[in-house]
Amino acid sequence: MNHKVFYFTGTGNSLWAARLLSRELGSAEPVPIISPGAFDGINELDSVGIVFPVYMHRMPHIVAETLRRLPKAGYLYAVAVNGGDPGKVFRFFRKQIRPTGNILNAGFSILTPGNYLPMGEAIQGEALDDQLQRGAEKVSRLAGIVKRAEAYFDGEGSWFRRNISPGLFYSLGYRYIAKLDSSFSVDDSCTSCGTCQQVCPVNNVRLTDGKPVWHQNCQLCMACLNLCPEGGYTVCRQDPGAQAIQESFCCCSRYCRTERCIKKPGRLLDLPGLKREVSLIDRTEFLDLPDEFADT
């Protein structure tokens, strides 16, 4: 059987799941979706898997854009890596591939440590180990389903969460993700090492006068924040003149447990070589966000 797994990762959760899945399927190393020519020849594969993190019940903009240009595949399945609430991500996946003529044959939800620090710090210790063990067991089960080319879909959560709270908020806010980096900043602990620039998967972070500057093409993957060796980032600004859309996503208003900007607590997953592997990905400039992304 000829299987191939493709992935998008920011802080390592999706890379971790993609690696496990590739081993279970007996396939080669997983392929970053933004690598040039990544999907060449996928019509000859027995299965094509797309592993990605869930953001706002959907997916990173760059994943959605990639799906809209996905070549025709055979058995196609999605692996939605999330912190506990996949929402309507499989419906959104189907919408993105509709113009390509592809059909989503299966959708799996994998629970991993949350990396969105404005919502709180990631779990650690035994809780982290237990969660990763359950995730690995789930990957093993889904690999069997893929090998048999079965139709299967995990549930997408309650109707209320998908459509009212936080679903409605996510539907309205999803298209603004790329601009939310205007609330990112660094403090005096920044050493100008350039890690943030290296690990950004869409080349959105660039050093200016030795300090990172974000260019409103953010995927909100939090790679720059979580992989910073100094922990010099804050994820919001307490500027009284901040725009309402920034404040609605800002940790200071509702989510911060300390009533101060949240600092990086440490790497979420200790994946050997993650910084090196992420930085070696061929980065691409993200295309303009189409109006369809605002739809639910």
Side-chain angles (χ1 to χ4, degrees):
M1 300 290 283
N2 192 8
H3 306 280
K4 187 168 284 189
V5 178
F6 302 87
Y7 71 93
F8 173 84
T9 194
T11 57
N13 286 339
S14 294
L15 174 58
W16 171 80
R19 281 177 173 172
L20 286 180
L21 180 57
S22 292
R23 295 192 194 108
E24 291 284 346
L25 294 173
S27 63
E29 276 291 296
V31 179
I33 65 168
I34 57 177
S35 295
F39 295 103
D40 292 349
I42 67 168
N43 60 312
E44 300 175 0
L45 299 174
D46 294 301
S47 73
V48 173
I50 311 293
V51 183
F52 58 90
V54 174
Y55 299 160
M56 292 190 175
H57 286 179
R58 290 160 178 80
M59 61 192 64
H61 288 162
I62 194 168
V63 176
E65 177 59 32
T66 299
L67 293 177
R68 293 172 65 85
R69 298 180 279 108
L70 188 68
K72 198 72 169 67
Y75 180 84
L76 176 65
Y77 63 98
V79 179
V81 175
N82 64 92
D85 189 8
K88 54 178 68 175
V89 66
F90 300 132
R91 302 185 194 190
F92 193 71
F93 192 108
R94 291 190 188 96
K95 181 174 182 178
Q96 304 314 306
I97 64 173
R98 193 177 301 151
T100 71
N102 280 299
I103 296 175
L104 182 62
N105 300 106
F108 307 95
S109 172
I110 303 294
L111 181 64
T112 59
N115 70 350
Y116 190 63
L117 298 183
M119 296 290 287
E121 297 183 1
I123 60 174
Q124 304 290 336
E126 292 185 5
L128 173 61
D129 294 338
D130 290 343
Q131 190 174 91
L132 294 180
Q133 179 61 36
R134 291 194 298 271
E137 293 170 355
K138 177 68 175 290
V139 170
S140 181
R141 292 194 299 272
L142 76 87
I145 295 173
V146 170
K147 290 177 180 178
R148 296 187 296 271
E150 296 176 355
Y152 176 93
F153 287 93
D154 281 325
E156 295 184 331
S158 71
W159 181 92
F160 184 82
R161 288 193 61 82
R162 291 198 313 269
N163 297 283
I164 305 298
S165 178
L168 181 59
F169 168 74
Y170 288 164
S171 297
L172 296 173
Y174 178 73
R175 68 180 302 156
Y176 297 103
I177 284 179
K179 309 297 183 183
L180 295 180
D181 57 8
S182 60
S183 63
F184 288 13
S185 63
V186 293
D187 59 26
D188 293 338
S189 64
C190 175
T191 62
S192 305
C193 68
T195 296
C196 51
Q197 179 174 275
Q198 292 175 357
V199 301
C200 179
V202 292
N203 202 24
N204 181 55
V205 185
R206 300 164 198 168
L207 295 186
T208 300
D209 296 327
K211 301 299 181 183
V213 176
W214 291 262
H215 293 270
Q216 285 71 63
N217 182 28
C218 185
Q219 302 299 302
L220 216 61
C221 71
M222 296 291 174
C224 57
L225 180 69
N226 285 289
L227 296 176
C228 173
E230 301 299 329
Y233 285 98
T234 60
V235 294
C236 60
R237 63 184 184 192
Q238 302 180 60
D239 180 356
Q243 298 178 7
I245 188 64
Q246 294 173 3
E247 292 177 344
S248 67
F249 286 88
C250 174
C251 66
C252 293
S253 57
R254 277 180 293 175
Y255 304 129
C256 183
R257 298 174 180 175
T258 64
E259 298 181 356
R260 297 165 57 189
C261 293
I262 293 178
K263 301 285 186 123
K264 164 191 166 288
R267 183 171 297 183
L268 300 181
L269 288 179
D270 186 16
L271 290 177
L274 174 62
K275 173 184 170 182
R276 178 183 59 81
E277 294 196 25
V278 172
S279 65
L280 287 176
I281 294 174
D282 289 295
R283 294 169 296 188
T284 181
E285 293 294 338
F286 178 61
L287 303 181
D288 290 338
L289 182 64
D291 291 339
E292 291 92 327
F293 284 2
D295 299 338
T296 59

